[in-house]
Amino acid sequence: MLSEAFVASVLLSSPEGGSKKASSSSSSSNNNSKDAGITIQNFQPSQTLQTTFKKSSTGPHCLAVTETHIYAAQADKAVVHVYSREKNNQEATVPFPERIESVSFVAGNGEGGAGVLALGTQGGRIILWEVSTGRQVTTPASHLQSVSVLAVDPTCNFLLSGSADSNIHVWSLTILLSFSASASSSGALSTSAPLSPWRTLTNHHGPITAIVTGHSRTAGSNIAVSASRDGSCIVWDYQAAHLLRTYVLSAPPISLALDPCDRAFYAGLEDGTVQLLDFFRPSAASTVTRTNPLDADDDSPQQTAPPTAHLWTAGPSQNLGATLCLAVVYEANYVLSGHASGKICLWDVGSGKFAKQLNGGAAGHEGGAAAVTNLVVLPPTGFLSAAGDAGAKLSLHQVVKPRYESSFGSSSAGAAGQTQGTVPMNYSVTAQFASPIIAARTQREGMDRPFHHPALPKAYLAASLASLASCVNAGPGRADDGVVVATATGTGDEELRRQVAELQTTLKDLRATHKQTWKKMVEMRLERTLWEKERRGRKEKRRARKNEEEEEEEEEEEEEEEEEEEEEGDGGEDSSEDNIDLMLDSSSSSSTSGISQIISP
């Protein structure tokens, strides 16, 4: 069964909240979940909390997740926490010269967790940390303000950095990580500024809040989408520094997520809503049909406003807060959103409506104590893998902390007497192969081996031609190696007919067995249904009988109370009549005595 999970991180309301010590073992599980800063939660097929990591307070775009580790830049300190997904604990605390405002991981095909961690600093610099070697490369302050977001393209050749100064730089990772300061005839880099941006995109007029790249690996055909606090989202051909489309939104966009097929993107707005922007939605002003909907000409406006029908709202009763992060699930039928109120919401893409809220928030944080700042959907698990097929070729069990040396970290050569462009002698990689190399080469047998080879081996071709020649020379019916060859006439047809007849008999038996098994399952299902129906009927009868008894008891109590009230009423009337008689007698006696006193002289 397939299962899907996501990683969520929060930004605690108080900086000290992210660095509190873990409570004692006698504390309740609720308190432990409230101390969590990063969680891994399953949401398909059921909602469960899988793993919790404490001592973390992470801002937007400050979380990177790999197959083996989680990297979280802390909002209150100039450090990055490294968590091991294999051991479920905090592996290291890595300090940096200045506060880290954004992170992104660069992992090539097969590298697994042994890649490069890109970090954007508060001073406008880019830091590249090779987590398997410890090598560190730092660029000059190319941005005037802090680097708020980083994005890596699928080819791992380009890095996009967005800043609060409204600019977006496109960097060549190949040149940044090179051991030599190579000059480019196209003006990409120069020897005077070896660590300068390759391109600069300057069409925004406010701080950059989010950047996402497309999924195409073809050179020159990928896109990038950027969001800014000026209320716009721009679609770029970032390799050519060409603007393709500008969208003006109803509120400032804070977060972005791109459809896996690059058909549309989703923008999380500051008012808590989610805006769907479809690339294939025809424009009312355009009369030309294009293969690529992002192609722009005189008939298609560069600046468009999305329809209000594609604005998703959850209603005022939810009180979500700003949409700080977005993520699209594996099947692209749902979108996850994290909000400033600490809630994680699920949106249905087909209907464009709010589906539900997941577990009341991130890591059990109720109310507004912790805002959900990052959401990363993990690849689904449960697929059947073919024999011999492996995922990552390298696995990183422990990171190597960064160290900056003039001959080791810098791209400029010539230090310490080293030849320009050569790899330093102290450069070493700490990683582990995910599978044995020799076994991977020899485990394929027969026809499976040549078809998984980059080209058909010459020895295999020669053996195949020799086998065909031997079959022709041996004549019909038998080859030189004694293998029976089926011919038009001979024992080959009889043998095939016999095998077909046996297979048909076996198939017939299997069908009969399947029919009987299915019939038995249907009968058992009917029996269970009848049993459950009878059980429900008995429960309803018992419930009805109990209700009748309670009603009878209530009626008897009411009758007893009425009789008591009637008796009390009768006694009160008799006593009142006696009192009236006494009062009349006393009044008559007093009047008689007064009259007698008046008559007597």
Side-chain angles (χ1 to χ4, degrees):
M1 179 182 295
L2 295 179
S3 62
E4 295 183 79
F6 64 89
V7 181
S9 68
V10 298
L11 177 64
L12 302 178
S13 57
S14 59
E16 293 80 9
S19 59
K20 290 182 179 179
K21 294 184 178 180
S23 58
S24 62
S25 58
S26 61
S27 301
S28 62
S29 60
N30 188 22
N31 293 333
N32 291 337
S33 64
K34 289 183 179 180
D35 292 337
I38 301 174
T39 59
I40 301 179
Q41 305 182 33
N42 295 323
F43 68 96
Q44 291 290 350
S46 60
Q47 300 177 19
T48 56
L49 182 61
Q50 180 180 345
T51 309
T52 300
F53 299 101
K54 301 180 181 179
K55 300 181 181 181
S56 179
S57 179
T58 309
H61 311 296
C62 290
L63 186 74
V65 182
T66 68
E67 298 176 0
T68 57
H69 291 85
I70 296 177
Y71 303 89
Q74 300 304 297
D76 55 335
K77 300 177 182 178
V79 298
V80 173
H81 289 179
V82 182
Y83 300 93
S84 173
R85 293 182 59 187
E86 297 176 348
K87 302 177 183 178
N88 292 334
N89 62 355
Q90 182 175 346
E91 181 177 308
T93 300
V94 182
F96 287 92
E98 50 187 322
R99 185 171 298 178
I100 305 301
E101 298 293 336
S102 57
V103 298
S104 183
F105 198 79
V106 185
N109 187 18
E111 290 185 1
V116 178
L117 184 67
L119 307 100
T121 68
Q122 192 177 22
R125 295 177 175 84
I126 304 295
I127 299 176
L128 299 179
W129 167 29
E130 294 181 358
V131 296
S132 60
T133 66
R135 180 191 177 205
Q136 176 180 322
V137 177
T138 304
T139 68
S142 57
H143 287 286
L144 300 178
Q145 298 185 40
S146 61
V147 181
S148 56
V149 59
L150 293 172
V152 182
D153 78 331
T155 63
C156 296
N157 291 328
F158 298 99
L159 174 69
L160 282 74
S161 63
S163 171
D165 61 4
S166 75
N167 291 331
I168 299 174
H169 290 333
V170 182
W171 305 81
S172 173
L173 288 171
T174 305
I175 299 177
L176 288 179
L177 295 174
S178 174
F179 285 96
S180 62
S182 303
S184 174
S185 58
S186 62
L189 290 178
S190 62
T191 54
S192 60
L195 298 180
S196 60
W198 184 55
R199 304 282 190 193
T200 300
L201 314 176
T202 60
N203 288 75
H204 281 295
H205 303 285
I208 306 299
T209 57
I211 301 175
V212 291
T213 59
H215 301 83
S216 175
R217 293 180 179 269
T218 305
S221 64
N222 200 12
I223 62 172
V225 184
S226 61
S228 172
R229 284 198 172 273
D230 60 6
S232 66
C233 290
I234 299 180
V235 185
W236 305 90
D237 179 0
Y238 59 90
Q239 297 186 28
H242 178 58
L243 186 149
L244 300 176
R245 187 73 57 84
T246 301
Y247 295 93
V248 180
L249 307 182
S250 59
I254 305 298
S255 55
L256 293 173
L258 195 61
D259 181 80
C261 297
D262 296 347
R263 301 167 300 183
F265 71 94
Y266 309 91
L269 306 186
E270 195 173 29
D271 57 1
T273 58
V274 177
Q275 177 73 59
L276 167 64
L277 298 109
D278 191 353
F279 294 145
F280 289 86
R281 176 180 174 269
S283 175
S286 178
T287 59
V288 181
T289 303
R290 302 176 183 83
T291 304
N292 187 355
L294 293 177
D295 287 341
D297 53 20
D298 296 337
D299 296 331
S300 177
Q302 289 279 339
Q303 190 171 7
T304 59
T308 56
H310 291 171
L311 185 64
W312 302 346
T313 59
S317 60
Q318 295 293 335
N319 192 18
L320 300 178
T323 308
L324 300 180
C325 52
L326 290 173
V328 183
V329 302
Y330 175 75
E331 295 178 345
N333 55 347
Y334 288 101
V335 174
L336 293 170
S337 64
H339 298 268
S341 61
K343 298 178 181 179
I344 300 176
C345 299
L346 191 68
W347 305 82
D348 188 354
V349 175
S351 62
K353 296 181 179 179
F354 173 81
K356 61 180 177 180
Q357 179 182 332
L358 299 180
N359 295 340
H365 292 277
E366 300 293 341
V372 182
T373 53
N374 295 278
L375 288 174
V376 179
V377 176
L378 301 177
T381 58
F383 288 109
L384 295 176
S385 59
D389 292 340
K393 298 178 182 178
L394 295 178
S395 178
L396 182 68
H397 297 290
Q398 188 172 2
V399 299
V400 180
K401 290 187 176 182
R403 57 185 185 274
Y404 186 85
E405 301 174 6
S406 59
S407 63
F408 184 76
S410 177
S411 293
S412 60
Q418 181 184 317
T419 305
Q420 181 175 354
T422 60
V423 179
M425 296 183 63
N426 59 345
Y427 184 77
S428 61
V429 178
T430 303
Q432 182 177 356
F433 288 101
S435 59
I437 303 176
I438 303 300
R441 292 177 179 271
T442 59
Q443 62 186 350
R444 301 188 184 277
E445 301 290 341
M447 293 291 292
D448 190 44
R449 184 178 180 182
F451 286 108
H452 286 81
H453 198 273
L456 288 176
K458 293 182 179 180
Y460 182 82
L461 290 175
S464 301
L465 292 174
S467 178
L468 289 174
S470 63
C471 291
V472 173
N473 296 331
R478 186 170 298 275
D480 288 343
D481 55 358
V483 179
V484 176
V485 180
T487 58
T489 58
T491 59
D493 283 346
E494 296 178 358
E495 182 67 19
L496 290 176
R497 292 192 188 95
R498 185 184 63 80
Q499 293 179 2
V500 170
E502 291 179 355
L503 292 175
Q504 289 178 348
T505 304
T506 304
L507 180 61
K508 185 177 180 181
D509 296 340
L510 290 175
R511 286 177 176 175
T513 304
H514 180 268
K515 186 176 181 181
Q516 294 294 331
T517 304
W518 183 256
K519 184 178 179 181
K520 187 65 175 177
M521 290 177 62
V522 172
E523 292 176 355
M524 294 174 65
R525 182 65 61 84
L526 291 174
E527 290 178 359
R528 181 174 179 82
T529 303
L530 293 174
W531 178 77
E532 291 180 350
K533 186 176 181 181
E534 292 177 358
R535 184 166 60 88
R536 287 195 298 268
R538 290 194 298 268
K539 284 185 177 180
E540 290 177 357
K541 288 181 180 179
R542 286 196 297 269
R543 193 180 296 109
R545 194 182 306 115
K546 186 176 180 181
N547 292 337
E548 291 177 357
E549 292 177 356
E550 291 178 354
E551 290 178 357
E552 291 178 358
E553 291 178 357
E554 290 178 357
E555 291 178 357
E556 291 178 358
E557 291 177 357
E558 290 178 356
E559 290 178 357
E560 292 178 357
E561 291 177 356
E562 290 177 357
E563 291 178 358
E564 291 177 358
E565 291 176 356
E566 289 178 358
E567 291 177 358
E568 291 177 357
D570 295 341
E573 292 177 358
D574 295 340
S575 59
S576 60
E577 290 177 358
D578 295 339
N579 292 333
I580 292 171
D581 294 338
L582 292 173
M583 291 172 64
L584 291 174
D585 294 340
S586 60
S587 61
S588 61
S589 60
S590 60
S591 59
T592 306
S593 60
I595 293 170
S596 60
Q597 290 177 3
I598 294 171
I599 295 173
S600 63

